[in-house]
């Protein structure tokens, strides 16, 4: 892991401990590195309606945007308590696409630090992005 990846992993693990997951018992944390070097984290927040549930990745990105971070995501790290690291779901990939570049990296990790890294276009090719609306 690079120093940045270690920071993202630590932030995601801290957030993972705060996950509100009484229905799925899937405790997820995420951390995003924004273009200015700032890091924001999030955990999944489930809801009794199920439809109101928001994943950790989206919580982290929404926090970054709402706190005024530059609207460009350089790296995303997702950590789950599953043995095999979980990748971002489709909804999260679409939200990441809004702020990603061709160079954005997605790291998936478990709590033991086993990590796999993808280039974002590799896991979400042909994404619908703001460029389509120009
Ligand atoms: Zn998701």
């Amino acid at each position: 892991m690079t120093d940045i990846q270690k920071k993202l992993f630590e932030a995601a693990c801290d957030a993972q401990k705060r996950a509100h997951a009484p229905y799925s018992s899937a405790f997820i944390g995420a951390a995003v590195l924004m273009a200015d070097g700032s890091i924001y984290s999030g955990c999944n927040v489930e809801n009794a309606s199920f439809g109101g549930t928001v994943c950790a990745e989206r919580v982290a990105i929404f926090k970054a945007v709402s706190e005024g971070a530059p609207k460009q995501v350089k790296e995303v790290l997702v950590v789950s308590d599953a043995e095999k690291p979980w990748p971002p779901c489709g909804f999260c990939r679409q939200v990441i696409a809004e702020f990603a570049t061709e160079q954005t990296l997605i790291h998936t990790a478990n709590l033991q630090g086993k990590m796999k890294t993808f280039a974002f276009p590799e896991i979400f090719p042909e994404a619908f992005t703001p460029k389509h609306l120009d």
Side-chain angles (χ1 to χ4, degrees):
M1 274 193 215
T2 65
D3 286 347
I4 287 291
Q5 289 165 1
K6 282 180 193 163
K7 285 183 183 174
L8 290 169
F9 181 72
E10 288 168 10
C13 287
D14 282 347
Q16 189 264 352
K17 294 174 192 147
R18 296 187 287 273
H20 177 69
Y23 311 109
S24 73
S25 296
F27 295 82
I28 315 294
V32 293
L33 174 69
M34 306 307 286
D36 65 350
S38 59
I39 290 174
Y40 293 84
S41 62
C43 61
N44 54 325
V45 182
E46 294 183 348
N47 186 275
S49 73
F50 290 12
T53 294
V54 182
C55 300
E57 301 93 307
R58 280 180 282 152
V59 170
I61 289 175
F62 294 162
K63 281 171 65 179
V65 171
S66 66
E67 295 296 320
K71 294 176 183 171
Q72 188 182 98
V73 176
K74 292 178 75 172
E75 299 187 33
V76 178
L77 189 146
V78 189
V79 66
S80 75
D81 54 0
E83 186 181 332
K84 186 177 180 184
W86 286 6
C89 76
F91 288 117
C92 289
R93 292 178 197 206
Q94 183 61 47
V95 169
I96 293 166
E98 183 80 11
F99 306 109
T101 69
E102 296 287 311
Q103 288 74 43
T104 297
L105 298 176
I106 308 295
H107 312 290
T108 65
N110 67 14
L111 290 173
Q112 289 71 44
K114 179 182 176 186
M115 195 174 83
K116 189 168 183 183
T117 296
F118 304 89
F120 183 62
E122 179 186 358
I123 64 165
F124 202 48
E126 303 300 326
F128 182 75
T129 69
K131 291 177 187 161
H132 291 95
L133 301 177
D134 284 346

